[in-house]
Structure formats: structure tokens, C-alpha cells
């Protein structure tokens, strides 16, 4: 029964995208239809305005995502894509810059040509109000006074978010439809700067116009967490303090900063992945069942969970690390270490590894440690959630059975594992550990999972905000983590060195053991 249930876990659907398009699970009888008011208005014109169109993010992620959606007939029929930037650029050169990051087979060449025929490029000067007036004129020429929605994607440095949104408000809002503005992280540097940005956005836009994008929420297995939690009777009743010993959310990368030391040193591993990506994952795993599958009800449940989570005020709940030279490795980064990177200061105290324990003060999770761990230059690539159950009553056995675990691998591979105890086959009554494993990457499925930016951009077109970070959600996330930043700045938490390519600091393993997580 357990194996059958595990195999059927792939029969899910997201709360925004209905199950009748190219990404749907193929067996219709196993598809759960989820009601949603989000949709693309077929009679409405759409203008997608990409600010920072010549930048790295646009050519690597945004244009390829738009092409994939167009390729699968998921974009509006009445669509125009406007790229905006300060560089002298023609659409032909823009296309050439994007081509290394897209896949176009011989039968799709005409379709790909047609996609680029939808694209215009508007050159700006200084990013001032006059630029947005020129941009507005170009969009209005396409709209021709008809009902038209505008989507602005800010693929821009955070330093210009405020001026860009002010100029959109002053000169480029949709006059005969809806305006939506997509903002990339980082959403501030700490609690104070995040609040300042949020207050500015609230002064020029309404909450339903703001789409703070966190690409982690677009991963297939992160999307699946909602279905796993609330679509399976076997899991939901055990996810509480009576049964769970500890929960661990783990992110590990084998690579170091790979030449981006200047950027990374300004943010560190906590701002880069923990305060946003991993906290989002933790909130979905731990939140209470929402009142409905509507975006605001789901985000209300996440905010309630974050509100119940204590700020990290105890330095004993934190381990910080920084990778150093590993002479045994032939990798260039291993030869120089983090501080040996050309753009990293010699005296940098920026952590490339961090582990912290979050404590949720509510009836479900009181006393259960949530261990959030992330690091670069480690011995594996892995992003996973481990829910470790308490020990079984061992009165019947000579030895203590190993703890049951539910392991959700978010990527590399995407899989679900249930770790159990069983009797060894044969005459012996001794016990052994077994794993029930379903690999989504190898499962018998003809559907292709969308990439994160594809899924999230489609959500924007549909007006579905469930996978985007709301203002109060962001505020709580910064409240939880800001004390760590203060401790780092004042050097109150020691920075432990670990070798490039190792498993990370031994102190982190000790912190896990102290918090009832057993290896």
C-alpha cells in the first residue's frame, strides 16, 4: 500500500495552472482539478515590457522562458514583447545574444522567427522619466486604445527599483487594463532596507500589482509540496510535534563563487539562499492547512507560520563557515579558496556556509527544531527536505530501530523517499533499513516539467500571485534573519574554516545532533 501510494504521488497539479496544457500529467483520471480564478483574458492585448533587456538575466532566463511558453502555445494570442535598455541594440542582435540559451529544432525555425517578430526594442538614455514616456508611446502604438494589460519585468539592479517603479507610475501604467510589476530579489539588504522598499512600492502600486519573484517557488518539487502535504492522508496526520523529532532543509553546492566573488561577498550565503529560497520551502512544509487554494489564503497560512517563528537571537543556534584551500583537489577554486578569489577582500568575513535552527512557537510544532543549512564548495550538489520522525518504541526489539524519515529531494534528482525498518528476509528476526523511493525524473511520465521562470511568468500572465512573495511575508522573513546579520557585522559569531570539497564544518554536525537530528 505504501509503495502504491508513493507511486501515485506524482498525480498532482499546481494551484494556478490547469491540467489541460502541454505540462499536464498525462493520465487524466489521476488529475485533481483545482479551482482558480487566474486566467489569461483571450480578448485582451498584453504588453510584456522587459526593463534591462540586454542584461544577463534577460538573455539567460527571461527571453528563453518566454520562448518556451510561446512554443507550447501558452502565451496570449495578442501579445507584444518590448525590450528596454540603454545599449544601442537591434532586435537581430538581441536574438543572437539569446540563442545560446534556447533550444530550437529544425521544425521550429519558422515558429522561432515568428516569436521574434513579436519583439521590439526601445533604447533609453538615463533611465529617467522621459525614457518611460518614450516607452509608453511605443506600447500605446501597439494597444491602439483597446483593452490592454501591461506586465513590467524589472531585470534591473535593486538600486533602481524605486526610481523605475516611480517612473512606471508616472508615465507608463496601463490606461485600459491591468498593470503588473515583477521584481527580482534581493528585496532589500536587511529588515530596515526591505521595509523602505516595501513602503515605496506601496506608495506607487497596489499589492495585487506587485509580483516579487523567487524562482525557487517555480521548481516542480517545490510546487509538489502543497500536494504532498494536503493531498495524502498518510503524511498530514504525522506532521506535528507528537511524531516529528526534527526537520532539516539542506542546500549544498559543489561549486564555489566561480568568479562572482564581488557580488557574493556583498550578500553571503544567508541572503543568497537561506532568508528567501529555503525559508520559503520551510514555510510550505510547516504551514497549517489554508482555508482554500486561493492565493491569499495560501499566503496567509505561510505568513502565520513565519509570524510564529522566533527571530534568531541565540548565537548558539548558528554555525557560520567559509571555505579555504584544499591542496588535495585539482579544482582551481580549491587552490585559491574563497579569499583567494580576485574580487574578494583578503579580510572578508562573509559566510559561504551557514546553518541555523528555527523554532516555531505554535501548537503543531512547539519544540521541533527546523534546521536550515546551506553551503558552497561542499562535497555534493543537493537540495532536500528531511523530516525525521521520533524513535519507535523499542521494547519489542533488541536494538533501537533507525528513525523513519520522509526525504523530499527538490532536484538532482527530484525524488520522494520513505525510509523504514523491516525484518531481514529469511529465518532471522533481525532488522534492516529499507527505502521506498520514487524518482520523478525517471518515472513513467510523458509530461515535461516547466522550468521555474516559465511557470512563474505564466502565473504573472494569469494574474496568479500564490507563488510570489507578499509584503507581510517578506517582512517576517527579514525579522527572523536580521539578528544574524547584526551578529556577523559585529563579529559575534565565529567564522569556521572548512576545506573546499569537504562536507562542511564539523560544528554544524554537532549543532544538528544537539537539536535531536540523528545521522
Amino acid at each position: 500500500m505504501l509503495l502504491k501510494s508513493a507511486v501515485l504521488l506524482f498525480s498532482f497539479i499546481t494551484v494556478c495552472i490547469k491540467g489541460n496544457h502541454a505540462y499536464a500529467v498525462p493520465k487524466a483520471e489521476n488529475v485533481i482539478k483545482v479551482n482558480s480564478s487566474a486566467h489569461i483574458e483571450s480578448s485582451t492585448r498584453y504588453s510584456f515590457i522587459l526593463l534591462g533587456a540586454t542584461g544577463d538575466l534577460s538573455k539567460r532566463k527571461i527571453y528563453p522562458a518566454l520562448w518556451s511558453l510561446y512554443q507550447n502555445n501558452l502565451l496570449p494570442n495578442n501579445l507584444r514583447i518590448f525590450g528596454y535598455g540603454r545599449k544601442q541594440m537591434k532586435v537581430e542582435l538581441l536574438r543572437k545574444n539569446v540563442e545560446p540559451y534556447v533550444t530550437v529544432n529544425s521544425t521550429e525555425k519558422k515558429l522561432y522567427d515568428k516569436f521574434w517578430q513579436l519583439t521590439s526594442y526601445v533604447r533609453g538614455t538615463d533611465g529617467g522619466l522621459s525614457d518611460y514616456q518614450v516607452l509608453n508611446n511605443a506600447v500605446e502604438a501597439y494597444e491602439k486604445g483597446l483593452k490592454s494589460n501591461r506586465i513590467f519585468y524589472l531585470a534591473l539592479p535593486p538600486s533602481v527599483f524605486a526610481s523605475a517603479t516611480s517612473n512606471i507610475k508616472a508615465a507608463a501604467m496601463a490606461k485600459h487594463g491591468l498593470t503588473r510589476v515583477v521584481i527580482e530579489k534581493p528585496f532589500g539588504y536587511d529588515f530596515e532596507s526591505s521595509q523602505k522598499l516595501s513602503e515605496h512600492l506601496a506608495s506607487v502600486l497596489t499589492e495585487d500589482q506587485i509580483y516579487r519573484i523567487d524562482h525557487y517557488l517555480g521548481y516542480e518539487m517545490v510546487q509538489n509540496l502543497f500536494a504532498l502535504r494536503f493531498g495524502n492522508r498518510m503524511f498530514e496526520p504525522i506532521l506535528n510535534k507528537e511524531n516529528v523529532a526534527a526537520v532539516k532543509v539542506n542546500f549544498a553546492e559543489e561549486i564555489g563563487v566561480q568568479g562572482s566573488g564581488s557580488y557574493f561577498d556583498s550578500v553571503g550565503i544567508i541572503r543568497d539562499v537561506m532568508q528567501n529560497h529555503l525559508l520559503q520551502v520551510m514555510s510550505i512544509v510547516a504551514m497549517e492547512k489554508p482555508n482554500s487554494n486561493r492565493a491569499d489564503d495560501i499566503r496567509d497560512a505561510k505568513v502565520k507560520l513565519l509570524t510564529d517563528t522566533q527571530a534568531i537571537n541565540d548565537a548558539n543556534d548558528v554555525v557560520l563557515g567559509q571555505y579555504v584551500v584544499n591542496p588535495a583537489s585539482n579544482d582551481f577554486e580549491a587552490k585559491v579558496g574563497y579569499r583567494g578569489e580576485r574580487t574578494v577582500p583578503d579580510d572578508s568575513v562573509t559566510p559561504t556556509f551557514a546553518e541555523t535552527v528555527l523554532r516555531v512557537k505554535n501548537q503543531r510544532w512547539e519544540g521541533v527544531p527546523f534546521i536550515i543549512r546551506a553551503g558552497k564548495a561542499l562535497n555534493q550538489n543537493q537540495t532536500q527536505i528531511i523530516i525525521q520522525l521520533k524513535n519507535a518504541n523499542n521494547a519489542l526489539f533488541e536494538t533501537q530501530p533507525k528513525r523513519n524519515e520522509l526525504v523530499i529531494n527538490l532536484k538532482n534528482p527530484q525524488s520522494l523517499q520513505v525510509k523504514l525498518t523491516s525484518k531481514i528476509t529469511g529465518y532471522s528476526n533481525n532488522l534492516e533499513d529499507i527505502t521506498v523511493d520514487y524518482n520523478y525524473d525517471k518515472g513513467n511520465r510523458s509530461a515535461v516539467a516547466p522550468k521555474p521562470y516559465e511557470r512563474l511568468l505564466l502565473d504573472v500572465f494569469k494574474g496568479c500571485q500564490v507563488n510570489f512573495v507578499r509584503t507581510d511575508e517578506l517582512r517576517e522573513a527579514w525579522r527572523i534573519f536580521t539578528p544574524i546579520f547584526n551578529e556577523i557585522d559585529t563579529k559575534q559569531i565565529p567564522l569556521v574554516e572548512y576545506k573546499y570539497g569537504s562536507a562542511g564544518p564539523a560544528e554544524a554536525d554537532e549543532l544538528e545532533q544537539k537539536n535531536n537530528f540523528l545521522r
Side-chain angles (χ1 to χ4, degrees), residues 120-261:
S120 303
Y121 181 77
V122 178
R123 187 189 181 193
T125 53
D126 59 359
L129 184 60
S130 60
D131 281 355
Y132 286 78
Q133 291 168 338
V134 171
L135 186 58
N136 179 70
N137 292 338
V139 177
E140 282 189 339
Y142 160 69
E143 294 174 339
K144 298 179 180 178
L146 299 175
K147 184 178 181 183
S148 304
N149 294 338
R150 296 185 183 184
I151 296 170
F152 292 86
Y153 198 110
L154 273 59
L156 300 170
S159 59
V160 299
F161 284 171
S163 61
T165 49
S166 292
N167 289 332
I168 291 171
K169 177 67 173 179
M173 298 286 281
K175 296 176 178 61
H176 306 287
L178 302 172
T179 299
R180 296 164 186 158
V181 180
V182 186
I183 301 175
E184 278 276 349
K185 78 173 184 74
F187 315 122
Y189 185 76
D190 53 17
F191 183 86
E192 185 177 348
S193 60
S194 175
Q195 279 292 97
K196 184 177 180 180
L197 176 60
S198 292
E199 288 168 4
H200 169 77
L201 293 176
S203 71
V204 294
L205 300 168
T206 58
E207 188 68 46
D208 63 341
Q209 294 174 323
I210 303 170
Y211 288 71
R212 295 182 184 87
I213 190 168
D214 184 333
H215 77 274
Y216 244 65
L217 292 176
Y219 278 116
E220 185 74 12
M221 284 302 290
V222 175
Q223 293 274 311
N224 198 8
L225 292 176
F226 190 83
L228 293 176
R229 277 272 335 252
F230 303 113
N232 294 283
R233 181 70 179 178
M234 66 191 308
F235 293 144
E236 180 59 12
I238 66 172
L239 296 180
N240 54 53
K241 64 185 179 184
E242 304 301 326
N243 300 293
V244 177
V247 178
K248 179 179 175 182
V249 182
N250 182 46
F251 170 91
E253 280 189 332
E254 292 179 347
I255 61 172
V257 295
Q258 292 198 321
S260 61

Side-chain angles (χ1 to χ4, degrees), residues 382-435:
Q382 193 175 61
T383 307
Q384 64 178 186
I385 305 156
I386 304 173
I387 300 172
Q388 194 171 92
L389 302 185
K390 293 181 177 180
N391 293 334
N393 189 330
N394 67 351
L396 298 177
F397 308 106
E398 293 182 3
T399 59
Q400 173 65 53
K402 194 171 181 180
R403 286 178 172 177
N404 297 148
E405 288 183 348
L406 173 63
V407 181
I408 304 168
N409 291 299
L410 301 182
K411 55 182 180 176
N412 302 323
Q414 298 180 111
S415 67
L416 174 69
Q417 298 174 330
V418 181
K419 297 188 177 183
L420 305 169
T421 295
S422 178
K423 187 187 82 67
I424 293 176
T425 302
Y427 295 110
S428 171
N429 288 320
N430 291 338
L431 305 178
E432 66 175 345
D433 303 325
I434 64 170
T435 299

